[in-house]
Amino acid sequence: MSFFSRLFKSNAAGEENNYLPQGSYLNPYSTLGELDFHLISEGRHERLWDVLGAHIKRDADGSLIGTAFSVWAPNAQAVSLVGDHNFWDRNTHPMVRAGSTGIWEIFVADVGPNTCYKFAICTINGTWVDHADPMARATEHPPRTASVVTESNYNWNDSQWMEKRKSYQPWRSPVSVYEVHAGSWRPGLSYLQMADELVAYVLEQGFTHVEFLPITEHPYSPSWGYQVTSFFAPTSRFGSPDEFRFLVDALHQAGIGVILDWVPAHFPKDEWALAKFDGTALYEHADPRLGEHPDWGTLIFNFGRNEVRNFLVASALYWLEEFHIDGLRVDAVASMLYLDYSRKEGEWLPNKFGGRENLEAVQLLQEATSTAYKHHQGIMMIAEESTAWGGVTKETSSNGLGFGFKWNMGWMHDTLEYLQHEPIHRMFHHNEITFSILYAWSENFMLPLSHDEVVHGKGSLVNKFPGDRWQKLATLRALYGFMWAHPGKKLLFMGQEFAQNNEWNQEVGLQWYLTEFAEHNGVQKALADINMSYKGLPSMWEKDIFADGFQWIVGDDGAGNTLAFVRWSDKGIPVVCVTNFSPVPHEQYSLRLPVSGVWREVVNTDDLKYGGSGITNNSFAVDVDTNLYAKVRIPPLATVWFERV
């Protein structure tokens, strides 16, 4: 009988094991109990990170005892712990299989924080492969790939924010999101430095939330974080997990929410990570028609497996619980929902009813959203979903996916398509700028101008528009005024707030020097003022998800490239938005205002301080009983908001 055969024989029955190396213990400090095994097998362990992975044990006075390790690898012949502590020798610390669950355990004395480790797994065919811990809560700095033993000693200072969040209703609140790639916002900053510079900047610009492209550890930087290898570890590129907590805490104390991009759709094929973890397709589907993504060269999770769904739901909960995250934006939902996504005929398998819907992925998304909302009131679960799938933001009890918001990709594409036409041709495409209102309340929408629109040869936002330099900048300012008035929450990718010239390049960061030039600084000021006005006007957000919060005034002036509408608050207070997407000013434009009173401009993107032409309106009175129409000045390529005094 081999060494490993003798080691693992009868251990599940609790017989004494005489083959454990000195300093290693089987069960005294196990993180798993009978209930844990049951919940894991059912796929219902909502705090999976508490029982799997590496857990430091200390005695009553805080002195280190050692670390307990556990990993799920049901088809492995043997598993050993390797790392700094044993010179990466798989013969030193073999692990023991715990019952029939497929979980392997070991406790190693005197091993503590900052120890690098992996699990050496002997596959069915006898091959040994070293894998990072799927439940690792810290990692080595890429390109190194080991997991790191860690524990949190962080004391949070955001209790006021967290208490207030319990009663927060985001669909009835101002939500203006600044989308950030942490590595290229200002290259070289750590989490601690971001806690100073990013917080101050977001406050200055008036955004309500920051959304980070995936912070979860990823070895390949050009993936921007979307090829995740550690679903429970913040990337070590910018500091430790507790230093990331410090950043979140600083944002909260400044009154800024934090949203993370979360990627449950796929994972990379790196052999040291999740791929063929125990020598079999454990986390992924074995059949490539279900288990491989043809476009991205990645593997697709086996959403039908209890343990895999548990792993992903626990990952979502981990960020919300352990890092006080206020929302998760779920990436690539469309790729999860359709079995034939980006596949040709014969390259996919239908579901049990013969359809193209991925029923197991639907179940995973419903579990993730419902469980997240159950435990964390006031958060946002946001879907990046680009198809006509019905009920994305419908409650799971009504067979919806249960998200709080869905990115309105249709609005984004139609609006940018319209604005890329020469103004003289826009009259023939007026439906592109008005069509979104026809479905604006079919879901709870967020309007995105995201990173996807300024990469891969698409150029920056400002350079998508026709005309000379002044017209491009004016169009961008007008777009922001229109977007912030349109029903739906707002999201803007970093750099576009000051009209970055180049498309985004994560290798070089943003063109911050441009803000020293008046034309770019003007756009930056305009957006800051729009944000501040938006937050102060309940009409612009209280009734976002209700059709009676919106009323057309002018929807058919295609020849003038102009549209006007009213936004209403709960108390019936109106704000009128007028946008002129032509380069010609409209003097004495007839505008039918909804109520009598004195009206004034609250936003005008053509203001001289923004680099505009300075066509503005003085306050004016109107009596709708005697004169239905006011005569106003509408600047060229500009948006104006009017409020009643």
Side-chain angles (χ1 to χ4, degrees):
M1 183 180 293
S2 70
F3 172 80
F4 279 104
S5 298
R6 296 196 310 275
L7 175 64
F8 300 124
K9 183 181 178 182
S10 301
N11 248 310
E15 295 181 17
E16 183 177 354
N17 191 315
N18 296 317
Y19 299 99
L20 288 174
Q22 186 175 1
S24 299
Y25 305 91
L26 181 58
N27 285 315
Y29 297 99
S30 174
T31 56
L32 291 141
E34 184 177 345
L35 178 60
D36 296 311
F37 288 122
H38 173 73
L39 291 174
I40 290 171
S41 65
E42 292 289 319
R44 299 289 182 183
H45 203 302
E46 294 176 354
R47 295 187 63 88
L48 195 64
W49 63 92
D50 281 343
V51 295
L52 294 182
H55 295 275
I56 294 170
K57 303 296 181 179
R58 297 184 180 276
D59 61 21
D61 66 1
S63 298
L64 176 69
I65 301 173
T67 299
F69 297 86
S70 54
V71 63
W72 178 58
N75 302 303
Q77 290 193 57
V79 181
S80 282
L81 180 72
V82 296
D84 293 340
H85 60 288
N86 63 13
F87 302 99
W88 301 89
D89 177 13
R90 64 173 178 258
N91 293 311
T92 306
H93 290 110
M95 300 176 71
V96 176
R97 191 180 185 108
S100 60
T101 61
I103 294 174
W104 301 75
E105 289 186 294
I106 194 171
F107 176 80
V108 185
D110 300 324
V111 167
N114 302 317
T115 300
C116 294
Y117 71 98
K118 284 187 178 182
F119 297 117
I121 295 179
C122 183
T123 64
I124 288 177
N125 61 14
T127 302
W128 286 89
V129 181
D130 291 353
H131 284 274
D133 183 358
M135 302 296 301
R137 289 169 290 142
T139 66
E140 284 190 295
H141 192 294
R144 297 188 297 272
T145 59
S147 305
V148 177
V149 176
T150 189
E151 62 183 344
S152 177
N153 297 301
Y154 190 75
N155 293 314
W156 289 91
N157 296 290
D158 65 347
S159 57
Q160 185 176 356
W161 172 273
M162 296 299 287
E163 185 62 31
K164 186 178 180 181
R165 196 182 75 180
K166 293 178 182 177
S167 58
Y168 179 60
Q169 296 180 316
W171 58 92
R172 296 179 62 84
S173 302
V175 176
S176 174
V177 182
Y178 187 53
E179 189 187 31
V180 171
H181 177 259
S184 60
W185 181 71
R186 283 182 178 160
L189 294 186
S190 67
Y191 291 131
L192 298 180
Q193 291 167 322
M194 286 182 230
D196 286 330
E197 297 190 30
L198 179 61
V199 171
Y201 184 74
V202 173
L203 272 178
E204 180 182 283
Q205 287 298 119
F207 290 97
T208 65
H209 292 74
V210 169
E211 177 177 324
F212 289 104
L213 272 61
I215 287 292
T216 37
E217 189 62 272
H218 51 284
Y220 183 54
S221 293
S223 77
W224 312 328
Y226 291 102
Q227 294 196 5
V228 178
T229 51
S230 296
F231 284 78
F232 293 80
T235 179
S236 57
R237 289 170 173 83
F238 317 119
S240 70
D242 273 357
E243 288 170 340
F244 179 60
R245 287 180 173 91
F246 183 87
L247 170 58
V248 175
D249 202 349
L251 286 160
H252 283 175
Q253 291 179 64
I256 301 164
V258 182
I259 301 168
L260 294 188
D261 279 11
W262 182 59
V263 190
H266 63 124
F267 60 94
K269 295 180 179 180
D270 302 84
E271 69 168 7
W272 55 267
L274 294 181
K276 291 195 178 299
F277 188 77
D278 62 0
T280 67
L282 189 62
Y283 287 90
E284 69 273 29
H285 280 278
D287 191 323
R289 291 173 294 179
L290 295 170
E292 293 192 21
H293 198 294
D295 287 346
W296 302 328
T298 53
L299 300 173
I300 299 171
F301 282 103
N302 183 352
F303 303 116
R305 187 163 192 164
N306 287 347
E307 297 91 342
V308 173
R309 287 201 313 278
N310 194 165
F311 174 80
L312 291 171
V313 172
S315 170
L317 293 175
Y318 178 73
W319 295 100
L320 299 171
E321 179 71 27
E322 297 292 330
F323 292 91
H324 292 196
I325 298 303
D326 304 295
L328 298 176
R329 178 266 200 182
V330 183
D331 181 63
V333 171
S335 74
M336 301 171 67
L337 293 175
Y338 298 98
L339 294 165
D340 63 345
Y341 183 88
S342 194
R343 296 178 187 273
K344 299 175 183 177
E345 186 175 351
E347 295 180 347
W348 61 281
L349 295 177
N351 63 36
K352 61 184 178 181
F353 302 111
R356 58 196 284 256
E357 300 82 9
N358 190 331
L359 304 179
E360 290 80 12
V362 170
Q363 181 182 355
L364 176 276
L365 292 169
Q366 290 175 328
E367 287 185 13
T369 56
S370 60
T371 308
Y373 279 120
K374 177 180 74 174
H375 289 292
H376 300 282
Q377 294 175 306
I379 64 162
M380 289 184 278
M381 296 294 286
I382 306 163
E384 187 228 356
E385 204 285 310
S386 56
T387 73
W389 184 283
V392 173
T393 58
K394 194 175 181 180
E395 293 181 354
T396 56
S397 59
S398 301
N399 205 34
L401 296 183
F403 285 95
F405 294 99
K406 170 182 172 175
W407 273 20
N408 193 337
M409 312 292 275
W411 171 87
M412 179 183 69
H413 290 136
D414 287 348
T415 299
L416 294 180
E417 184 72 21
Y418 171 82
L419 291 175
Q420 288 177 75
H421 297 299
E422 292 285 347
I424 196 171
H425 297 142
R426 287 175 183 163
M427 70 174 71
F428 305 112
H429 302 274
H430 195 64
N431 65 302
E432 292 176 353
I433 199 65
T434 60
F435 180 67
S436 59
I437 296 300
L438 295 180
Y439 63 88
W441 300 281
S442 60
E443 301 276 8
N444 299 341
F445 281 120
M446 180 173 286
L447 310 183
L449 289 174
S450 74
H451 65 279
D452 281 329
E453 302 313 303
V454 293
V455 291
H456 301 319
K458 295 179 183 178
S460 63
L461 284 182
V462 71
N463 286 323
K464 293 181 187 294
F465 311 134
D468 59 26
R469 185 64 182 168
W470 187 92
Q471 291 174 331
K472 288 177 183 289
L473 291 160
T475 302
L476 187 63
R477 296 192 303 267
L479 168 60
Y480 293 156
F482 169 70
M483 173 181 174
W484 259 250
H486 190 288
K489 309 309 178 185
K490 328 299 174 187
L491 178 141
L492 184 69
F493 184 58
M494 64 182 196
Q496 310 317 306
E497 77 276 10
F498 60 80
Q500 170 152 315
N501 282 330
N502 296 344
E503 75 173 19
W504 172 52
N505 181 345
Q506 64 99 20
E507 297 292 341
V508 299
L510 303 183
Q511 296 176 290
W512 287 107
Y513 67 89
L514 293 176
T515 60
E516 298 176 12
F517 296 92
E519 61 182 24
H520 293 275
N521 185 252
V523 176
Q524 192 178 37
K525 286 180 179 177
L527 185 61
D529 287 350
I530 289 170
N531 262 329
M532 299 302 183
S533 296
Y534 165 76
K535 290 190 293 185
L537 294 170
S539 304
M540 292 302 200
W541 38 263
E542 267 186 343
K543 298 175 77 69
D544 262 337
I545 67 172
F546 304 107
D548 63 351
F550 176 92
Q551 178 187 343
W552 277 117
I553 297 177
V554 179
D556 58 356
D557 186 8
N561 299 168
T562 299
L563 58 163
F565 52 81
V566 186
R567 297 300 309 278
W568 295 96
S569 72
D570 283 340
K571 295 180 179 179
I573 299 173
V575 173
V576 170
C577 170
V578 188
T579 299
N580 175 14
F581 281 125
S582 83
V584 179
H586 300 323
E587 297 284 354
Q588 298 296 300
Y589 193 84
S590 293
L591 198 64
R592 185 169 182 167
L593 295 174
V595 295
S596 301
V598 177
W599 291 78
R600 67 180 178 189
E601 290 182 348
V602 62
V603 165
N604 186 331
T605 65
D606 191 54
D607 198 298
L608 287 171
K609 64 184 177 182
Y610 306 141
S613 63
I615 295 178
T616 59
N617 292 270
N618 296 321
S619 297
F620 58 91
V622 64
D623 184 345
V624 298
D625 294 326
T626 60
N627 181 13
L628 293 177
Y629 292 92
K631 298 293 184 180
V632 298
R633 306 176 75 203
I634 308 300
L637 297 172
T639 294
V640 183
W641 297 358
F642 296 100
E643 67 172 350
R644 193 177 63 150
V645 179

